[in-house]
Amino acid sequence: MKHYEANFDGLVGPTHNYAGLSYGNVASLNNAAAVSSPKAAAKQGLKKAKALADLGLAQGMLAPQERPDLHTLRRIGFSGTDAEVLNKAAKQAPALLRACCSASSMWTANAATVSPSADTHDGKIHFTPANLVDKLHRSIEPVTTGNILAATFNNSRYFHHHQHLPEHVSFGDEGAANHTRLCSEYGHAGIELFVYGQEATNPSAPKPKKYPARQTLEASQAIARLHQLDDESSVFIQQNPDVIDQGVFHNDVIAVGNQNVLFYHEQAFVDTQKKLAEIQDKFNGKALHFIEVPTAKVGIQDAVKSYLFNTQIVTLPNGEMAIIAPTNCQENEAVYAYLNELVTFGTPIKQVHYFDVKQSMQNGGGPACLRLRVAMNETELAAVNPNTLMNDELFNRLNLWVDKHYRDELAIKDLADPQLIIESRTALDELTQIMKLGSVYQFQK
Ligand SMILES: NCCC[C@H](NC(=O)CCC(=O)O)C(=O)O
């Protein structure tokens, strides 16, 4: 039986904009009110996804969400026709309107946590949508995310979909951005690493002073229980609170794993040596590559600016690993020098491929934020909705669809334009037909 790790990238939605909504995410704050290009953003994402499919990897796409989210605006008391709701919100509560217009579901690393069947007791792939409670604009994603995941992985024989965790800060859950999996082969049982920012029920435990720690230990433990993981195959690691305060709002800004490689910054974790020993122990003596990047070579600021660790590490069909990096890594002298050196270290990582995903980067989302990993065997892959899988036909269709429906530019003031509702719904309605998703959006019910 063949095994794959498929990447499901988030298709960037028609309202992609820079609203400065993510306190603690430096890029989001720095680019607040800049003019975005939804069309360029969607095309950059499609190009990366297609390039990975062309490298011989399993690659899918996840549909974006309905924005502006009029359902939420009505729920908080704005009434009338769609245009009236938008108009009133724009005048009376512009910050809430901005939160209801974000295309943030594009960062599918935050869509859910996924545990492959090799790790779970019932032998199914488990999905739990992230509740994303730390940020208002993201907390409105999980229900539709669940609908989209269920329409994409639509076979209950292989896929088990859970409800998102309770919507309270004690269970702050950011999905796969704070989760990585180590294994010798994708189809073998692996070690699931859950990296949390704080313990909600232990006020004396360390936590950041300035920026929020979005993921809690309690949420990570709940996911491990729901996904039927063994203690022997789960490791809970605290993210270093000092680096959260320097802009590392998710673990995938400072560490990434693939198969037997863990690539991380020296300052990423609390109790690093102890945790590495636990991982090695649970890995049953099999070979592991811990690639630690020292501060002396790449400082935290360079890591945050370039997104060195928000790279994807993928295993190519020939068994070598490649790093999928944003072009921002080439533009940073220290990081570029490090990556050029990394491929000579004798680790499984042999190549680096650079992609321009700047539209997403300007909101703090790199190549790894844009994808949700799902390790699958060939039977499970065959059970995925085939219309979501990347190939020449889907790539061409989606590019044409973007050309037809997306704006070249979007400024914050444009979010109050009622025409944007019509454009966005028309686009999404057509998309659900292209990807054969059924009625996943509120406006279709
Ligand atoms: N994994 C990357 C997530 C990036 C995302 N940025 C945002 O939501 C920025 C939106 C804005 O500011 O318009 C976040 O911080 O959760």
Side-chain angles (χ1 to χ4, degrees):
M1 178 92 80
K2 278 195 180 153
H3 290 87
Y4 310 86
E5 185 171 79
N7 288 293
F8 281 80
D9 279 42
L11 187 49
V12 178
T15 65
H16 161 64
N17 71 89
Y18 300 119
L21 299 173
S22 279
Y23 182 65
N25 168 345
V26 184
S28 155
L29 297 184
N30 287 348
N31 290 300
V35 174
S36 65
S37 175
K39 190 178 280 179
K43 293 201 157 198
Q44 287 173 353
L46 282 168
K47 217 166 157 182
K48 167 177 92 81
K50 180 61 162 59
L52 266 66
D54 290 344
L55 284 171
L57 302 168
Q59 176 72 52
M61 297 303 297
L62 291 172
Q65 304 219 348
E66 177 191 349
R67 298 287 181 270
D69 181 355
L70 292 170
H71 176 69
T72 296
L73 290 174
R74 288 182 195 281
R75 198 174 149 196
I76 56 176
F78 295 105
S79 59
T81 62
D82 290 346
E84 282 164 2
V85 167
L86 204 64
N87 191 15
K88 285 180 197 169
K91 287 211 174 88
Q92 296 169 31
L96 297 181
L97 174 63
R98 288 197 290 276
C100 290
C101 289
S102 177
S104 52
S105 67
M106 65 200 269
W107 299 296
T108 51
N110 310 117
T113 307
V114 184
S115 297
S117 55
D119 297 355
T120 63
H121 270 191
D122 64 1
K124 291 188 183 187
I125 304 182
H126 286 244
F127 298 81
T128 301
N131 61 21
L132 301 167
V133 288
D134 186 65
K135 297 281 177 273
L136 174 61
H137 69 291
R138 306 222 59 183
S139 70
I140 54 180
E141 294 177 30
V143 173
T144 303
T145 297
N147 293 344
I148 291 167
L149 288 173
T152 307
F153 303 93
N154 56 354
N155 187 324
S156 58
R157 185 155 161 212
Y158 304 108
F159 308 121
H160 186 142
H161 295 278
H162 299 274
Q163 193 189 352
H164 59 277
L165 296 180
E167 292 148 22
H168 184 267
V169 285
S170 301
F171 288 107
D173 179 22
E174 299 283 317
N178 282 60
H179 173 258
T180 198
R181 176 174 183 260
L182 300 175
C183 58
S184 43
E185 299 283 343
Y186 290 127
H188 295 177
I191 307 291
E192 299 203 14
L193 308 187
F194 292 87
V195 185
Y196 61 92
Q198 67 173 326
E199 281 180 59
T201 53
N202 177 5
S204 59
K207 58 174 176 220
K209 295 184 180 70
K210 186 174 169 200
Y211 290 144
R214 299 196 201 182
Q215 179 85 29
T216 68
L217 171 62
E218 289 78 357
S220 297
Q221 289 170 331
I223 303 279
R225 276 191 296 274
L226 286 165
H227 291 196
Q228 307 176 9
L229 305 178
D230 283 333
D231 286 348
E232 292 68 48
S233 58
S234 316
V235 178
F236 299 90
I237 308 176
Q238 178 159 15
Q239 204 187 329
N240 178 357
D242 296 341
V243 300
I244 296 180
D245 279 338
Q246 293 171 65
V248 183
F249 58 98
H250 284 142
N251 175 61
D252 68 0
V253 178
I254 195 98
V256 56
N258 177 55
Q259 291 186 324
N260 62 354
V261 170
L262 184 63
F263 178 52
Y264 60 98
H265 192 274
E266 178 186 7
Q267 296 184 57
F269 311 121
V270 169
D271 271 342
T272 310
Q273 291 318 314
K274 196 173 135 210
K275 288 296 164 182
L276 296 182
E278 184 182 342
I279 294 168
Q280 183 68 72
D281 186 45
K282 291 184 172 174
F283 214 64
N284 288 331
K286 284 171 284 182
L288 266 175
H289 299 269
F290 292 129
I291 309 177
E292 180 174 292
V293 181
T295 309
K297 282 205 167 146
V298 179
I300 297 295
Q301 285 321 308
D302 283 335
V304 171
K305 264 194 220 138
S306 67
Y307 266 34
L308 169 61
F309 298 95
N310 202 265
T311 46
Q312 296 173 244
I313 306 179
V314 296
T315 303
L316 301 172
N318 70 3
E320 285 182 8
M321 292 190 195
I323 284 206
I324 308 299
T327 45
N328 306 58
C329 286
Q330 275 174 311
E331 290 154 17
N332 180 300
E333 211 177 311
V335 169
Y336 190 50
Y338 181 84
L339 281 170
N340 284 334
E341 214 188 329
L342 172 61
V343 293
T344 67
F345 284 167
T347 76
I349 302 172
K350 303 291 185 207
Q351 312 172 13
V352 185
H353 299 259
Y354 294 95
F355 289 89
D356 178 359
V357 287
K358 286 217 164 87
Q359 284 287 323
S360 169
M361 284 288 290
Q362 283 169 204
N363 248 339
C369 291
L370 285 162
R371 62 92 169 93
L372 181 66
R373 295 190 275 186
V374 187
M376 284 185 279
N377 62 38
E378 54 192 324
T379 314
E380 292 158 346
L381 184 59
V384 172
N385 174 346
N387 308 290
T388 64
L389 296 178
M390 183 53 84
N391 51 35
D392 290 343
E393 195 197 329
L394 187 68
F395 181 68
N396 291 333
R397 266 195 104 173
L398 290 179
N399 273 294
L400 289 172
W401 171 82
V402 169
D403 282 330
K404 182 170 156 198
H405 297 288
Y406 280 47
R407 295 192 186 188
D408 286 309
E409 287 196 344
L410 197 63
I412 293 300
K413 64 169 174 29
D414 301 329
L415 301 177
D417 175 4
Q419 189 58 32
L420 193 62
I421 307 173
I422 298 165
E423 285 169 25
S424 170
R425 285 183 178 170
T426 308
L428 295 182
D429 206 37
E430 197 178 309
L431 182 69
T432 53
Q433 291 162 43
I434 296 173
M435 296 175 91
K436 297 199 173 40
L437 298 174
S439 302
V440 288
Y441 301 115
Q442 201 76 33
F443 76 89
Q444 295 175 314
K445 307 228 181 227

